[in-house]
Amino acid sequence: MSYIFWNNFIDTWRNLPPNEYLNHRPLAPYNLLLDWTNPNLLPLYGTPNRGDLSLQYLPEPWWGNNGNYPLESVVLNYNPAGLSDNYYQNNAQQHFTNSRALFGFHNYSDFVNNEVLVRSRRFPGKYTFHYSNRANRVFDSLTRNGIPLAGNNLENHLSIELAPWYTPNSNLILPYIMLNAVSVYNNCIMFAANESRRIINPILRNKVIIRASRDSILGVLPSFGPHIIIYDQTTASGNGRWYKFILNRIPDVEFICIWGPKSRNDFPPSSDLDIILNAL
């Protein structure tokens, strides 16, 4: 439930024997990675090339704020988008043969922080996605709602993945999330909740945005324990929906699913997002 856990997780991944990255049937002790199921067991394909496996590529449990900058928003996503030449400029950079050493950085936190501050020299597609499709969408909406921000750069936003492995589409990752529901709760849900308490602006403090639909979250929600539904609403245009709930075990933090029928992997249109965030 912390940056330290994920640094240790990445260190566990980067210290695997080379043959394990390509192993479709990992046995103990490599069938688990710090209590997370080895993704090669399903398997979760990392790229559109079905000969690739997610374990071959540097996991991405979170991106953005590393705990050392003012925080303005926390967003939970399904998992990192599938690797493709059209989206990431150089898949080879993320392959374990190149990324195991974290490009000379001491840990994952330091590596991500550098990528954020220099606008991603190695993985420019990640910076573009997390800033343009997540952070900036939220920041612009807060600004339009008259909420002052301590910072509106990617270091002021935290994206957390419900699973750290790349897949070509989110449907492939849902069985993995269900299989690892306890780890998802302990290391993603709790991580997001803890960090949301640091948020500076009053609209999103103690709130976690989930960029997923209500129905997709309802499938795994019972695994996180009893919860209370606050509301389930749709904007007047029909292009924005939000579903707000509280987990009984984390009563001071609200979780809000935000999605729309035409949003795909983005937020609803700006006018609808403004209505939703204003309603919070």
Side-chain angles (χ1 to χ4, degrees):
M1 64 175 70
S2 68
Y3 291 102
I4 294 174
F5 171 85
W6 287 116
N7 284 342
N8 292 336
F9 181 90
I10 298 297
D11 286 346
T12 299
W13 171 83
R14 60 196 291 227
N15 289 311
L16 290 170
N19 61 306
E20 288 300 322
Y21 297 98
L22 309 174
N23 186 358
H24 287 256
R25 298 182 179 181
L27 301 175
Y30 304 118
N31 60 322
L32 295 176
L33 301 174
L34 294 189
D35 292 330
W36 286 77
T37 303
N38 188 314
N40 287 4
L41 283 167
L42 288 183
L44 298 175
Y45 294 100
T47 75
N49 174 10
R50 294 185 68 82
D52 282 346
L53 299 167
S54 288
L55 198 62
Q56 291 175 241
Y57 296 92
L58 175 68
E60 186 187 318
W62 61 270
W63 201 263
N65 184 286
N66 72 341
N68 294 326
Y69 303 93
L71 183 62
E72 296 289 1
S73 58
V74 174
V75 173
L76 278 169
N77 308 286
Y78 284 119
N79 70 312
L83 297 165
S84 71
D85 289 333
N86 291 331
Y87 190 71
Y88 296 122
Q89 290 187 9
N90 190 354
N91 291 348
Q93 289 270 50
Q94 295 173 258
H95 196 271
F96 74 92
T97 53
N98 294 316
S99 61
R100 289 175 74 191
L102 292 178
F103 309 99
F105 290 92
H106 177 66
N107 55 39
Y108 182 77
S109 290
D110 290 347
F111 163 67
V112 170
N113 187 54
N114 181 74
E115 289 293 289
V116 166
L117 295 181
V118 303
R119 305 300 188 259
S120 266
R121 291 180 299 175
R122 294 178 180 85
F123 305 151
K126 294 182 187 298
Y127 184 92
T128 299
F129 175 79
H130 288 293
Y131 181 71
S132 298
N133 294 66
R134 293 294 183 263
N136 198 45
R137 293 295 316 281
V138 174
F139 294 160
D140 281 355
S141 183
L142 289 173
T143 300
R144 289 191 295 269
N145 274 301
I147 305 302
L149 303 176
N152 60 357
N153 297 306
L154 190 50
E155 59 264 33
N156 306 115
H157 166 85
L158 177 60
S159 282
I160 298 174
E161 311 295 338
L162 289 174
W165 311 108
Y166 303 98
T167 58
N169 61 70
S170 60
N171 291 332
L172 284 174
I173 204 68
L174 292 178
Y176 182 88
I177 290 173
M178 292 295 294
L179 183 63
N180 291 272
V182 173
S183 293
V184 170
Y185 177 83
N186 290 335
N187 307 129
C188 304
I189 300 297
M190 285 298 297
F191 181 29
N194 288 341
E195 296 308 311
S196 76
R197 299 181 178 107
R198 294 197 295 115
I199 291 175
I200 293 175
N201 72 79
I203 297 296
L204 294 182
R205 185 182 302 124
N206 286 51
K207 294 181 178 66
V208 174
I209 295 172
I210 305 177
R211 219 328 295 158
S213 70
R214 173 201 60 203
D215 292 346
S216 62
I217 291 300
L218 283 178
V220 70
L221 195 53
S223 301
F224 303 150
H227 63 280
I228 299 170
I229 300 171
I230 299 178
Y231 53 62
D232 183 358
Q233 295 189 15
T234 303
T235 58
S237 71
N239 293 322
R241 299 203 62 180
W242 69 109
Y243 176 80
K244 186 174 179 180
F245 64 91
I246 292 177
L247 295 170
N248 287 12
R249 289 189 283 178
I250 320 175
D252 66 317
V253 174
E254 297 175 343
F255 294 83
I256 306 99
C257 295
I258 299 178
W259 76 102
K262 301 177 182 178
S263 300
R264 298 178 65 84
N265 196 25
D266 200 348
F267 285 112
S270 296
S271 57
D272 296 272
L273 185 60
D274 290 352
I275 292 170
I276 293 170
L277 293 189
N278 185 60
L280 299 183

